[in-house]
Amino acid sequence: ELAALVGAPFTVTYFGTNALLDDDEAIERYVANIQPCLRKAEEQGVVLLIENLFDIVPTEISDAFRTRYRSSDATRTAKGVKKLIDAIGSPWFRFNYDPGNFLCGGEEPYPFAYDILKDYIRNIHLKDAVKYDAGLYGPPDDLYLQRDLNADYMCVAVGDGAVNYDALFRRLFGG
């Protein structure tokens, strides 16, 4: 309703993590829970966008936690995002492509994830990152640190990181 009120064509949502559910169970629960929001979005003419996200590990959580926890955000992979969107099966539910989040989740953002999801993309969130190492970059700045179960990444200016934005932009803009 707020998106419609301000004239926004879409609003972004996230999947979330739950290590107690496997991906199929989590997707089934999400599909059921999103239905009231999806009906309201359609009534208002607003598309709900799911943004891919890695498994965020807060800075106060010890590194030992990572070895005992399994990845549980189905949107960390391109195939997981596609499976979710297909399960919802509505033109009012599409994708907010975040190449930087795919990178932090250990997925190749471009061309792999893009090619799987290109038909569902309605918005692109530009963010770039590099794998963080204290020896290379010094003490972490929590504002720029993205912590996944598998590794830490540091946000950098678009084009200065590990996302292949040159190739992505050439594809998007035909250059």
Side-chain angles (χ1 to χ4, degrees):
E1 289 174 339
L2 182 57
L5 183 67
V6 299
F10 49 78
T11 188
V12 176
T13 185
Y14 292 91
F15 187 78
T17 63
N18 186 336
L20 300 177
L21 303 175
D22 67 28
D23 284 354
D24 290 336
E25 293 169 318
I27 287 172
E28 184 178 326
R29 181 180 286 183
Y30 188 95
V31 169
N33 289 340
I34 199 72
Q35 293 307 311
C37 299
L38 196 55
R39 284 190 297 274
K40 183 57 78 172
E42 185 174 358
E43 286 173 18
Q44 299 289 320
V46 173
V47 177
L48 297 180
L49 301 181
I50 187 74
E51 182 171 327
N52 56 297
L53 190 60
F54 51 95
D55 287 302
I56 295 173
V57 178
T59 54
E60 64 271 10
I61 301 296
S62 73
D63 285 338
F65 173 82
R66 293 175 175 184
T67 63
R68 292 186 289 250
Y69 194 77
R70 72 170 187 83
S71 295
S72 63
D73 190 323
T75 68
R76 72 182 289 117
T77 68
K79 290 180 179 179
V81 171
K82 184 177 185 323
K83 188 174 191 175
L84 174 64
I85 294 172
D86 288 344
I88 289 176
S90 170
W92 296 97
F93 191 83
R94 289 294 177 246
F95 183 48
N96 188 56
Y97 174 50
D98 187 329
N101 280 353
F102 274 134
L103 175 72
C104 294
E107 184 89 308
E108 180 185 82
Y110 182 85
F112 181 78
Y114 176 85
D115 284 338
I116 289 172
L117 295 163
K118 64 186 174 193
D119 295 334
Y120 301 101
I121 296 170
R122 293 300 174 270
N123 190 59
I124 299 175
H125 176 185
L126 299 181
K127 176 174 66 190
D128 212 344
V130 294
K131 195 167 184 177
Y132 173 74
D133 179 87
L136 289 174
Y137 303 110
D141 179 343
D142 292 343
L143 180 63
Y144 300 103
L145 195 62
Q146 306 281 291
R147 299 186 78 220
D148 178 63
L149 286 174
N150 298 314
D152 291 340
Y153 290 83
M154 185 174 71
C155 291
V156 296
V158 171
D160 288 346
V163 175
N164 188 359
Y165 277 113
D166 288 340
L168 175 61
F169 290 160
R170 279 195 306 275
R171 177 113 171 243
L172 291 173
F173 302 116

